[in-house]
Amino acid sequence: MFRILHTRQLSDAVFEMGVEAPTIARKVRAGQFLMLRVGAGGERIPLTFSDWSAEEGWVRFIFMRVGKTTHALSHMAPGDSLADLVGPLGNPTHAGGLGRVAVVGGGVGAAVAYPVARAMVEAGDDVTAILGARNAGLLVLEDEFRAMGVKLEVVTDDGSAGRKALVTAPLKELCEAGAIDHAFAVGPAIMMRFCADTTAEFGVPTTVSLNPIMVDGTGMCGSCRVTVGGKTRFGCVDGPDFDGHAVDFAELMSRQRIYAEEERVSAAAYEEECTCRPKE
Amino acid sequence: MPERDARERAGDFSEVGLGYSEEQAREEAERCLQCRNPTCIEGCPVNIDIKAFIAAVQRGDWADGVSLLKERNPLPAVCGRVCPQEDQCEVACVLAKKGEPVAIGRLERFLGDFDLACDARHRCVAVPGEPTGKRVAVVGSGPAGLACAGELARLGHAVTIFESLHEPGGVLVYGIPEFRLPKSIVAEEIDALRGFGVEIVTDAVIGATHTLGELREELGYDAVFLGNGAGLPVFLGIPGENFNGVYSANEFLTRVNLMRAYEFPRADTPVWRGRKVAVIGGGNVAMDSARTALRLGAEDVFLVYRRTEDEMPARREEVHHAREEGVRFEMLCSPVEVLGQDGWVTGLVAQRMELGEPDESGRRAPVCIMGSEFTVDCDTVVVAVGTRANPLLSATAPDLGLTGRGYVETDEDGATSIPGVYAGGDCVTGSATVILAMGAGVRAARAMDGWLTGA
Ligand SMILES: Cc1cc2nc3c(=O)[nH]c(=O)nc-3n(C[C@H](O)[C@H](O)[C@H](O)COP(=O)(O)OP(=O)(O)OC[C@H]3O[C@@H](n4cnc5c(N)ncnc54)[C@H](O)[C@@H]3O)c2cc1C
Ligand SMILES: Cc1cc2nc3c(=O)[nH]c(=O)nc-3n(C[C@H](O)[C@H](O)[C@H](O)COP(=O)(O)OP(=O)(O)OC[C@H]3O[C@@H](n4cnc5c(N)ncnc54)[C@H](O)[C@@H]3O)c2cc1C
Ligand code: SF4
Ligand code: FES
């Protein structure tokens, strides 16, 4: 059992959780993920480490409430325990020696972009962060990025915070100005695809952090397979980072929807049994 | 042995075989001739004293039978269900030549179940040895790891098993389905091992949570046994293999068995329930996948295999069960492409094969018949063509000697290139059998004992 130490609601649908996990905390590096199970009968879901302390023995992650498991997770409080927490899984994101990097975080992708940007800054890269969300209510970690002291561009689809634009607009400007040597993008698959398309025009190498559906997270099932450069790769062990210009995003998006119907059934059943209704 | 009706059982996940009653067990045991030269024993990979345990059944002395079995096989209730006896002890039984060998496997299962039905205090378990003060880490909780841990504990060593999944048991829990091996049996055996003082740490991936080196240097284990299996699924590399609805057998079976997707939405993990399912392969894994698909409600399940039924590596009994339950066999054909539309599988293109000249292994090699492609409709494809070594652990253990195919290299006792590190089971041999994995675990435990105590 893994004891929950801390919870925080970052926006309507985005939450942060800190869990006691001293063994794992010693090992985590930016870009790696964990798999957790809330309780018996629960699904194993992957989430990226957003923060950790080897000294104090905890790890944190930030999640968006989208379906049953993340919903259940959002109702848990300090003192409760998670049945399972496994990690750190996947390869760390490459940081250092990249030069001028644009780090793009779309929606809850900001949670993944945050530790990555921090690792890059620590490794001496020159980071410009671009945070995007549909609206101000979904924007997370803006203050944390500011506190890091990197250049920051905030955009929203409806202009309710920052500039009214998609993340690709500032990204394209940076490319046009010849102001970046590398890009890192994480968020919804469609956003990563447009980011990769944007940078491809300028020949700016671009890393994307993919989020295929996973079961074990250790290379045992192949659920997470993605096509990169015409080859099948396993997202959990070969990734999650891949060359954005070589990823077959259409396939990724199609595979992410395999269980759309079951997810709906599961969420509906959960709504029936869930006593602590989230406040609107 | 009584079995549930094929039509009834194909609709649920409860066990197929019902096991012997006491009378049936004695009656079957009476058929044993108690040969002076019991050839059955040579047929058993771990040389169980079969003649003696059957004699105990003849006498009705169940407890004695159990202890004789457990001298060589720590998990008789498991092996009695899943061992390929027809290729091992039973084929070697003198009565096999006369038509029907003694049903050694079923008698083993009977005794294993008798033991499990006893409450823990009356079980036939070895006593843990005098503590030696040595600590051993066992990586993986499949049959190799469990058997090794049990034997090490019996020899007095303090054992911790590290398992990457959230539940121990290896293929016994994530691969072999409930209807063939009830999970409660595996859980009982694992509880017994815990009662014996073996500690089991789940959610610990060696190669990620700890490396092999750290187990010894930071966590201070005096020796390590690697029993991490061969769990990396192999795909065919044909076009269309990433369409939605194409599964590796590992994923399909893990979702259903370990994650209990057949209880969805009571259990949270879903599985796509196809109506027309193609399973590619001819081994136990393919049979399990096909029979699982039927139980998930498929209307039509067919097996696509390159050779003929005679060459299929699956156990005879499983082939027979699959056929009885309605699995169709498409023999002598090989898939060339998965067809799809809007991201989902719609069919499979396969090519007819014929058996050519025998190859080095003596088996007649399948050769494709040019221009014989044909298409079958299906909405699900399960690829069950084997597994390989998973490099997760070895990639972080640079000193660990591997074979050309990525398996761990060991001597006969299971010793690897690193002193104090032993290995056994599928991670050494590639995908094999439960009993071979257990045998390797026990053998390595004894060698480790020698190494640890300087004997
Ligand atoms: C490497 C990786 C890192 C991730 N990091 C984060 C993160 O830091 N924060 C965050 O909010 N989300 C992250 N995700 C996505 C997160 O795993 C899903 O949102 C979560 O699994 C949804 O579960 P659910 O039961 O609440 O929703 P469901 O209703 O089950 O599904 C909602 C959506 O989530 C996706 N999903 C469902 N099950 C899985 C699964 N087992 N594995 C992967 N995706 C799944 C599906 O595409 C689905 O459309 C990450 C995914 C991956 C693969
Ligand atoms: C579907 C199926 C049906 C089968 N049917 C039969 C049958 O009827 N009869 C028969 O005799 N054999 C059968 N087999 C084969 C048999 O199950 C295997 O040969 C046997 O389980 C091998 O045992 P093992 O202990 O070496 O490995 P496994 O059973 O594979 O166990 C390995 C364990 O190690 C864990 N692990 C892996 N990597 C790590 C890591 N890095 N850190 C920590 N833990 C790790 C895994 O999660 C797993 O629990 C079948 C196999 C399958 C897949
Ligand atoms: S060979 Fe057959 S008949 Fe002879 S002892 Fe063994 S089981 Fe009995
Ligand atoms: S999640 Fe199973 S192999 Fe990647």
Side-chain angles (χ1 to χ4, degrees), chain A residues 2 23-24 26-27 37 41-44 68-69 83-89 213-216 218-227 232 234 237 251 254-259 262-263 265-266 269, chain B residues 164-167 174 202-205 208-211 214 218 231-233 235 241-248 250-251 254-255 258-259 264-273 342-344 390 392:
Chain A
F2 295 81
T23 314
I24 298 173
R26 282 169 40 247
K27 293 238 127 178
R37 227 165 49 113
E43 190 171 7
R44 296 169 64 98
K68 174 170 178 184
T69 306
D84 299 283
L85 190 74
V86 194
L89 301 172
I213 293 180
M214 297 187 177
V215 180
D216 60 301
T218 62
M220 184 267 265
C221 75
S223 163
C224 60
R225 57 199 195 279
V226 289
T227 301
T232 294
F234 285 6
V237 285
E251 180 186 278
S254 168
R255 290 187 60 81
Q256 283 176 335
R257 286 192 299 267
I258 299 181
Y259 303 105
E262 287 81 0
E263 283 152 9
V265 169
S266 191
Chain B
S164 62
L165 292 170
H166 56 267
E167 223 178 282
Y174 79 69
T202 51
D203 297 328
V205 186
T209 317
H210 308 279
T211 63
E214 286 162 355
E218 286 177 22
L232 193 79
F235 285 91
E241 229 174 346
N242 292 347
F243 279 127
N244 295 349
V246 182
Y247 283 110
S248 74
N250 266 8
E251 180 185 354
T254 299
R255 282 182 179 273
L258 180 72
M259 307 309 296
F264 180 87
R266 250 187 309 135
D268 291 345
T269 305
V271 67
W272 161 246
R273 293 173 179 243
D342 303 326
W344 286 85
N390 187 330
L392 193 67

